[in-house]
Amino acid sequence: MSIQLPPLFESRMQRWLGSEYESFIASYDRPRYAGIRVNTLKIDADEFLAASPFGLKPIPWCDTGYYIDENERPGKHPYYHAGLYYIQEPSAMEPAEALRPEPGDRVLDLCAAPGGKSTQIAAKLRGEGVLVTNDISAERTKALAKNIEMSGVRNAVVLNETPERIAEKFPAYFDKILIDAPCSGEGMFRKDPDAVRQWEKHSVEVCTVMQRDILDTVASMLASGGRIVYSTCTFSPEENEAMIALFLARHPDFVVGELPHSPLFAPGRPEWAAGLVESGGGLSPLLHEAAPGGEPLLSRPGALAPTARAARIWPHLAEGEGHFVCVLEHTGEKAARPCAAGSAGPLVGAGEERPAEAPAGGRKDRGPKAAGRAGDRGGAAPRREDKAARQARGRQKDAYIREEASEETVRRACLDFLAEQVPTPLRGTLLISGDYAYACPVEPERLRGLKVRRSGFQLGMVKAGGRFVPSHALAAALKPAESARTVRLSSAQPEAISYLKGETLTFGQERIERAAGAEAKGYVLVTIDGYSAGWGKWAAGVLKNEYPAGWRWNG
């Protein structure tokens, strides 16, 4: 075995697995499994299978997931840059499947970076409802925002907050919540040798305290009758069965829900946690947490038994890394409620009658509230930039001589662009943040005071002179029929790679597919094999490349 496992970890696993231990240890000498998940926001699974350049084998627990040979380099194909699939470890696809999000749901992915589970949830929502995706690490939210945008997600807000701060703004709000909890990472030892080195740093004792606090906070954000999925990538019963049983003891209005077991999954192991409680052993003092003046919560008869309904994914039983997944159902009655504000109705001005002109007088006179605030922010609310807007403004070379565009200027420029380029109505509340325009899927006042990476579906920004520049997120989310101008590139031709490298292309206007009445000159949605990849700006036979510099092909 090439991986040097911690001796304490080995002794614990040998004690618990018994006769299975040799098979478990032998799995560390087998190649790790790689997978991709088809992004059904952009392409149907059957359509992708027909077009796929890779050899694929279905992943049994995810109907859009497929095993792939890593040597095929799926990250180096134009389809990856077009957002047709997400590269994801196979076992990591199960938690979002267990959550069972449905169109119209309000969903929170609490520990979301780099975004695999969030994009999986978004595909199941099909653009309807709300996805709030969050990570406490500011650095990791960069990858999270990028993957949300590359996947063409239109109804997501990206936060960089603590669970407690989110709970203040979203009490009893979400129908479904996914907690891919920070954990000791034992299930990743086979895939990532660094996880072995980090095991003591991210000890079971430290992780269980974080997990308990996260679960307690998340319970306050769940609507009556809602569902929580708790998952980890560790084998530790302290972080799995014991943590679930402790949560149930502290929250009697929850039960462990049914989790349809794949034949390749094993049930939870409540007896492992029970043995630790009875022996006084284990790596977490929370095993012995007691009610005020009472016995330890996990010593109560039957406290651990429900956790047998959880699922464990073992690398010696299934083709994937180690995972634990448990469904927690709130026993209250699910109340009928309207859709989240801004998530159902069309964006004001997108394909609709334009609102009246704002009165003269600059920023203080912002005109009608129909577009941008619509009763959401209130006339006296201060304007607040999200992180993307602040960073973009800081990069402006002429920032020291250019005043920030007024909210009305950004709003009007955005609506003018959409009316000309994207006549199909978009959903959400038009929210202006700095020089940026967003289609926000939640009531904007809920975001006030939070650290926001993306305030919603980023539409674009206004630069000097009132010029509106559409975002890459908008291009990635559009279908060709939704854009006034498109051009088709082929993945089989060098032209597609040239575009992804950021190079200028030259071709005549006859290649630009246009809506009725649209001229050839202007922003063009560039597609690869008919799937949106980004923007270009065409004039006089030259397509100026608008593909983001940080995303460009470097293979």
Side-chain angles (χ1 to χ4, degrees):
M1 184 172 62
S2 58
I3 300 173
Q4 189 65 41
L5 297 173
L8 177 58
F9 169 77
E10 287 192 88
S11 65
R12 280 160 56 96
M13 299 310 299
Q14 188 168 15
R15 182 169 73 252
W16 290 326
L17 286 172
S19 60
E20 286 187 67
Y21 179 72
E22 293 303 322
S23 295
F24 170 72
I25 286 296
S27 72
Y28 285 87
D29 290 325
R30 295 200 296 268
R32 64 185 186 181
Y33 296 101
I36 62 172
R37 180 178 40 76
V38 178
N39 177 18
T40 54
L41 289 176
K42 303 199 77 169
I43 185 172
D44 291 337
D46 290 343
E47 186 180 352
F48 179 79
L49 283 177
S52 173
F54 312 121
L56 301 175
K57 183 178 80 169
I59 294 173
W61 50 88
C62 178
D63 59 8
T64 56
Y66 298 90
Y67 293 104
I68 186 171
D69 186 336
E70 281 187 308
N71 294 326
E72 296 202 63
R73 304 178 73 198
K76 296 295 183 182
H77 193 280
Y79 287 172
Y80 171 77
H81 291 264
L84 300 194
Y85 54 83
Y86 186 92
I87 301 170
Q88 190 171 16
E89 194 280 312
S91 295
M93 300 179 191
E94 170 59 19
E97 294 296 314
L99 191 66
R100 299 200 298 276
E102 300 173 348
D105 279 345
R106 299 170 173 176
V107 184
L108 170 65
D109 186 358
L110 186 66
C111 311
K117 298 175 182 66
S118 284
T119 56
Q120 189 174 356
I121 292 167
K124 292 179 180 295
L125 291 178
R126 300 178 204 162
E128 299 179 25
V130 174
L131 172 60
V132 176
T133 179
N134 174 77
D135 202 272
I136 198 169
S137 165
E139 184 63 27
R140 284 167 58 82
T141 58
K142 296 177 183 178
L144 175 58
K146 177 180 177 180
N147 285 318
I148 287 288
E149 293 175 0
M150 182 183 286
S151 297
V153 179
R154 305 188 189 198
N155 57 331
V157 171
V158 183
L159 301 181
N160 169 216
E161 269 297 353
T162 64
E164 293 78 14
R165 294 282 292 131
I166 300 173
E168 292 173 7
K169 300 289 186 174
F170 292 91
Y173 180 87
F174 296 103
D175 304 299
K176 313 276 173 66
I177 300 178
L178 177 60
I179 308 170
D180 189 32
C183 69
S184 57
E186 296 170 353
M188 293 294 109
F189 286 178
R190 205 174 71 95
K191 176 185 176 183
D192 181 11
D194 188 58
V196 178
R197 294 188 287 270
Q198 295 292 321
W199 189 60
E200 290 187 358
K201 179 180 177 181
H202 297 288
S203 68
V204 172
E205 181 176 351
V206 170
C207 290
T208 53
V209 173
M210 289 191 292
Q211 292 155 359
R212 178 198 60 187
D213 293 345
I214 287 171
L215 277 163
D216 284 348
T217 302
V218 160
S220 71
M221 291 188 262
L222 191 72
S224 180
R227 176 185 296 125
I228 296 171
V229 166
Y230 174 87
S231 69
T232 71
C233 55
T234 193
F235 303 120
S236 158
E238 294 97 326
E239 301 174 72
N240 295 328
E241 289 86 358
M243 188 53 53
I244 294 301
L246 186 62
F247 174 80
L248 295 175
R250 293 160 65 92
H251 299 272
D253 50 346
F254 281 84
V255 297
V256 176
E258 291 298 326
L259 179 63
H261 285 295
S262 163
L264 300 172
F265 295 172
R269 303 298 295 263
E271 69 275 14
W272 291 1
L276 293 173
V277 172
E278 293 167 5
S279 67
L283 301 179
S284 173
L286 294 185
L287 288 169
H288 311 293
E289 182 172 318
E295 63 179 344
L297 295 173
L298 299 186
S299 295
R300 293 174 177 174
L304 287 155
T307 64
R309 292 201 292 273
R312 281 179 171 269
I313 305 177
W314 292 98
H316 63 291
L317 299 178
E319 294 179 339
E321 306 306 324
H323 260 69
F324 173 88
V325 183
C326 185
V327 175
L328 296 165
E329 301 277 8
H330 187 266
T331 56
E333 184 176 351
K334 187 173 183 178
R337 56 157 176 74
C339 291
S343 66
L347 189 74
V348 174
E352 296 190 332
E353 182 179 347
R354 294 289 308 276
E357 290 287 342
R363 281 188 62 184
K364 298 300 181 182
D365 295 315
R366 294 177 179 170
K369 293 181 181 179
R373 296 185 298 280
D376 292 313
R377 293 175 65 189
R383 185 169 164 205
R384 182 177 183 271
E385 296 177 316
D386 70 8
K387 192 165 187 176
R390 291 195 302 273
Q391 290 176 338
R393 266 203 323 127
R395 289 193 297 267
Q396 289 291 336
K397 294 181 180 179
D398 60 345
Y400 66 98
I401 59 172
R402 184 172 71 85
E403 290 187 5
E404 180 187 272
S406 71
E407 182 168 339
E408 179 63 15
T409 297
V410 180
R411 182 182 72 83
R412 299 291 290 178
C414 175
L415 294 181
D416 284 342
F417 178 86
L418 293 177
E420 190 276 332
Q421 181 73 36
V422 190
T424 303
L426 302 178
R427 294 181 176 185
T429 300
L430 183 58
L431 174 65
I432 308 305
S433 177
D435 293 337
Y436 274 84
Y438 293 86
C440 183
V442 303
E443 305 93 327
E445 69 266 19
R446 291 186 185 274
L447 304 182
R448 191 178 304 141
L450 296 179
K451 290 186 285 186
V452 182
R453 171 66 69 173
R454 291 289 186 273
S455 299
F457 179 24
Q458 190 182 92
L459 304 175
M461 70 173 297
V462 167
K463 290 194 174 182
R467 179 170 58 93
F468 189 78
V469 178
S471 69
H472 184 72
L474 177 61
L478 292 176
K479 298 185 184 304
E482 295 178 302
S483 178
R485 285 177 292 275
T486 62
V487 63
R488 294 175 180 267
L489 307 182
S490 169
S491 64
Q493 300 297 322
E495 201 176 37
I497 303 301
S498 294
Y499 172 76
L500 294 173
K501 288 182 175 180
E503 297 172 2
T504 298
L505 303 182
T506 57
F507 50 79
Q509 70 176 26
E510 69 279 359
R511 287 188 58 187
I512 299 176
E513 301 174 27
R514 289 175 276 166
E519 62 176 327
K521 181 180 178 181
Y523 278 98
V524 178
L525 182 67
V526 179
T527 68
I528 297 176
D529 293 347
Y531 303 102
S532 58
W535 292 115
K537 197 171 185 181
W538 188 91
V542 176
L543 185 79
K544 179 184 175 183
N545 199 309
E546 299 285 332
Y547 196 74
W551 294 28
R552 290 176 183 171
W553 183 287
N554 59 6

